[in-house]
Amino acid sequence: MIEIKNLVKNYGDKQAVRGITFDVKEGEIMGFLGPNGAGKSTTLNILTGYLSATSGTAVVDGIDIFDNPIEAKKRIGFLPELPPLYLDMTVKEYLNFVYSLKKCKFPKAQHLKEICDVVKIGDVYDRMIKNLSKGYRQRVGIAQALIGNPKVLVFDEPTIGLDPKQIIEIRNLIRTLGKEHTIILSTHILPEVQQICDRIVVINKGKIVANEKTEDLILAVEGSRKLMAKIVGPEAEVLKALKSVAGIKFCEALGKRDMDSISYMIESEENVDIRKPLFATLSRNGWPLIGLEGMELNLEDIFIRLVDKQTEKKKSDSKLLGKVVK
Ligand code: ADP
């Protein structure tokens, strides 16, 4: 559905996107993940026809965005990081305006009603956009992207600045839309892509550093897992005992006391499940384990591990080729 090949974008002598290639299959929800400044918005702005590329190609539903931008754009609904809303219009006026702008051919009243039902903005249809909450404004932004029923939806940081309840609502909405559309969701929030996306493409400094199914990527970087354990017992002795458990690579007290328990961060060796030996050690010593939970990996952890893995791979590839690695 979307094919990007060797895409390059230079801003003057600054290389923002350095030859990236990836595709998104029909019906897939693809997470586009990377830290701020990685090149996500630049890529999406090129894909949606808002920005020219220095070189490379971008094809949407078989149509080249540079050769035939009007036809390609008809197939894409875009929610930029700052939705292009007119604050002095009512929701109704704004959606009617976008409908004409897109030269949409669907029966107007019915089409707009269907969209308002999906994104749940029927109750604010006659309100001025400037008087809406950020969550509602974001829904109106999604509504404008849906006008014309494009096959592809592109969302750039759709939950930024929303409160936790609004974030859950917008994520659910994106999941619902994913049943009927191919979606690219750009974000720097790892749990967001973990919850919503089938596949994750990671970009860093203008280059793709990973392109994998969500569960494979999480598995790959979670090879060594971090757990948080709440244990009742004398801190120094507990730490000593934990460090002697086979399979535990690293542990430290987190300095968090809750009643009489202390929290510890425990990192296991790659692909080792240390829960059973951990429990056996604690029970032998009579120290109750009153809580054990996985610690969420953050984006920094992912990058460190991806870069480590790439460096390891380069080293082993070079060894195979008989080269000396410095
Ligand atoms: P992201 O969306 O991942 O945060 P961007 O695509 O916005 O990243 O930016 C990629 C890089 O290009 C950054 O280093 C940014 O500073 C730079 N950049 C973005 N837009 C411009 C511009 N109009 N002129 C010059 N540099 C830009």
Side-chain angles (χ1 to χ4, degrees), residues 26-27 66 71 85 94 96 105 137 183 197 199 203 221 258 275 295 297:
E26 183 160 6
F66 307 125
E71 276 310 307
L85 300 175
Y94 174 66
N96 274 275
K105 297 281 191 302
R137 287 188 195 188
I183 296 184
C197 302
R199 202 154 53 83
I203 183 170
V221 290
D258 193 11
R275 287 173 301 179
M295 289 178 83
L297 281 174

Side-chain angles (χ1 to χ4, degrees), residues 192-206:
E192 187 151 291
V193 284
Q194 235 173 314
Q195 285 167 23
I196 305 178
C197 302
D198 306 312
R199 202 154 53 83
I200 302 182
V201 171
V202 185
I203 183 170
N204 192 28
K205 295 185 183 149

Side-chain angles (χ1 to χ4, degrees), residues 34 36 40 81 138 155-160 186-189:
N36 285 328
K40 301 183 298 294
E81 201 176 332
Q138 202 66 337
F155 297 128
D156 194 359
E157 302 275 5
T159 58
I160 218 161
S186 159
T187 178
H188 65 278
I189 307 165

